[in-house]
Amino acid sequence: MSKESQTSNTTRTPTRQMRVRARIAVIFVVVVCFLANAVQLGYLQLVQGEDWQKRAVSQQLSDTVVTAKRGTIYDSDMQALAESAEVWKIIMSPKNIAGCDWQDLEGVDTTQTLTDEQGLEVLRKFIATGLSEMFGLDYDKVYEQTGKTHSQYEVVKSKVEYNDKTAFSDWVTKNGLSYAFYIITDYKRYYPQGSLASTVLGFTGTDNNGLEGLEAKYESVLAGTPGRIVTAQNGIGDEMPTTMEYTKVVDAVDGYSLVTTIDSTVQMYAEKYLAEAVTATGALNRGVAIVMDVHTGAILAMATKGDYDPNDPFTITDPTTATMLAELSGDEKAAAVSIARQKQWNNKAITETYEPGSVFKVFTTAMGLEENMISEKSTFNCSNAFLVGGWNIKCHIYPRGHGTLTLPEAVSASCNPYFIQLGLKIGAGTYYKYFNGFGFTEKTGVDMTGEMSNAGLYHSAATLAEQESSLASAAFGQTFKVTPVQMITAMSAIANGGKLVTPHVVSQVLDGDGNVISVTETQVKRQIISADTSKRICKILGDIVNGGGSKNAYVAGYRVAGKTGTSEKRDLLPRNEVVASFSGFAPADDPKVAVLVLLDEPQCEPRYGGTISAPVAQKIFEAILPHLGVEPNYTDEELSSLSRTTPDVEGDAVAVAQAKMSNAGLKATVVGKGDTVLQQVPEAGQSVPAGGTVLLYTEEAAATMVKVPNFVGRSVTEVNSLASSLGLNVQLTGLIGGSSASAVSNSQSVAEGAEVPKGTVIKVNFLYSDTQDG
C-alpha cells in the first residue's frame, strides 16, 4: 500500500479551529433557544399574564353564585304585581361531617363502640336517610354527596320554603349536625295577583332570569348583582384538604324595582269583560283589550284572553287545547305543547297583526278633513257597490245601498263605497303620508319585548299609486294589517288633539331604598292633524255612539266616542273567519282614555264588531271612568231615567214610609194591614229603576216568591210588561233614550228559573240589532 493510500484511509483528527467553531455553534443554538424562551416567557407574563392568572385562580378556587333579590314590579298604586320572597338553599359540608359526634344522633345506639371510620359511616347513612325523607331526595345521591370529604359546598336542596327550612334547622340542631350544614338565603318569584296582567308581566325561569314580558324586557334592571361564595380547591376540583380553610363571601346586590302604569282595577275590569266575551263568542284566536291614557301614552290595562298564571306558566290553561294534547305522545306531543305554551305566553296586543276593517275609516276621515278635501257636509252616493280597477266592491248592506250620505252619516253607516270615493279623492301620496304619520308603518316603541313589525303587510306608496283597487280597499280598512297597539296609539292621536305619543308600561325605576332612579316622560313623536280636525272627528265619533251606528258602546253620563269594525281574514279563505273590533275614547268632548277591544275568529252570530265588541268596551268604560275620577255629565233625559237608591223605612209608620219612597222617585206597595213597616223588598240601599216599586211588609209573613222568567231576546216593551206582570223591577242597561225600538235584550243578572222575592231588581242589558260594520 502506498503512503498516499494509507493516509487517505485514516480518520482525520479535528483541528483546533474546528473545535472552536463547534463550540461557537453550540453556544449560538443555546443562546437562541434561551432568547426564544425568554421572549415567550416575557410574552406570557407581560401580554397574557392576566389571562393565565385568571385561569390559575379558576382552577384553584370554587366559585358559587348567591342569588340576588329580584326587584318588585308594582302597579300604578304601588300594589305588588311581581315580587321575590325569601326561600332558602340547604348546603352540606361533607368535609366537616367527621367533626360531628355520631353519639348525638337521635335514635342511635350509643352503647356500642365504634371506630372513627365506623362512626363516620353511621353519620353518613343517618344524614342521607334524614335528607331523603325530609325533602323527597334520592338516598343514593345524597349518600354519595356525604362521601365528598374534601368538599365544603354541596347543594342539597334549593327553593326551600319557610316551614321546611324551620323543620330542617330543628333536625340539624337536635342531632348535633350544625357543623356539617349551613343555609343560604335564596329567592323565589311570586305573582300575588295570579293571572292578572300575565302577558304584560311575563315570568322568570328556575334561575330567576326573566323569560317573557316585562321580566325579560327589564332583566338587567330587575336582576340585581349576584353574590359569590369562593372556596379553595385542589387540582381535581375538591376543596383544599388543609387545616386553613379559605372562604370569601361577596354579598349580592338587590335589583331595582319597576312602577308600571298598569292600574290593577282597570286591568281587572278589562280582563273580566274580555274573558266573558271570548267565552260567549267562542273566539278561536283569543281576544285583546287595551286601555290607554290618550295624552301620555300610559297603558292602564293590556289584556289578552286566554292567558296563563305566571306562577305556573308551563301549564296549558285552555281546556280544549289541554284535552287535545293529552291524546298525543312522543315528539308530536312535545312539539304541540311547545306551540301551545308559546301561544298563551304571547302578548297578542303587540305580537300579532290584523286587518282593522271599518275602524280605519276614522283615519281616512281625518285625512280628508285635514287636507280640506271634504267637510261634514260633503256627500257621496252609495248605490250598493263601486267599480274600481276592475273590481266591483260591494257595500256591506248589498244589494241595498245607502244612497247619498254626508260624512257623519257615512261614518255612522260605515259605508264602504263612500270611503272608496273619499280615498280616491285623497290620492295615493296624501293617503300614504298620513298612514305613515299615524304610525302604521313603524313599531310604536312600547317598552315590551316582542312587538311585531307590520313591515310588508301594508301597501307601499308606489303600489297605492299604481293600483287604484289597493287604495280603494285600504281606504275602508282592508288589504293591510296593523297591530292592536298601533291602532290604539293612532286612535289616541285622534282624541288628544293630533299628537302621536309613544305608549309605555313602566313609569318609574326605583332603587332598593325606594329612591326614583328614572322616570318615563311623555314622548310626542309628531303632530299629525290639527287640534281643530281632532275636535271635529271627536264630535262625529261621539254622535255615532250616542245614537248612531256604534251605539252599543253608549254609557249614560259619559259621552263615549268610537268606531266599530268587522274585517275578513282573507288569508284564511275559504274559511269564513273575521276579526270583530271596537276602538274609541271617552269623554268625547274632553278625551281622557282610549279603549280597544278585539275578538279574533268569533264563532257566534251575529259577529259584527258593533254587536259583540262594542258592548265589551261599553262595560269597560262604565266601570273604569268613575274609578279614574271622570265625573258623569247626564243629559236631562238620562237624569230622568237614573236608578234610585231605596231609603231605609223599616220601623217607620206606613204613611212615613210611603212619603219617603215618593220623595225618592219610587212607588210603594203595602203588604198586610199593620201600621208599621217590618220588612222592605228591595232592602235599603239597593239600586232601583226610577218609578220602580218597593214592597212594604207590615205583618210577619214570608215574602212572596216569584220565578224569574227568560228576559233574553225580548224588546224593551216586552221586558217591562213581563216584569210588571210578575211584580219584578227591571233595570234596563245599554239603552239610549228615545232610540230603543231596535234594541233586543241579550243578558239578565238573575238566571231564568231562580226564585226571588217579589220586588227584586233584575238587570237586563240590551243590544242594538241594527249595528253592522263594513
Side-chain angles (χ1 to χ4, degrees), residues 439 441-446 450-454 486 525:
T441 63
E442 61 187 356
K443 293 182 180 181
T444 64
V446 64
E451 182 180 10
M452 184 176 182
S453 168
N454 66 331
Q486 281 180 316
K525 291 183 177 180

Side-chain angles (χ1 to χ4, degrees), residues 360-372 374 407 422 426 434 438 494 529 533 537:
F360 193 81
K361 292 169 182 174
V362 173
F363 304 99
T364 307
T365 298
M367 299 174 195
L369 289 176
E370 184 67 14
E371 292 292 321
N372 293 316
I374 55 168
L407 178 61
L422 176 55
I426 291 170
Y434 284 98
F438 277 111
I494 292 290
I529 57 175
T533 297
I537 300 175

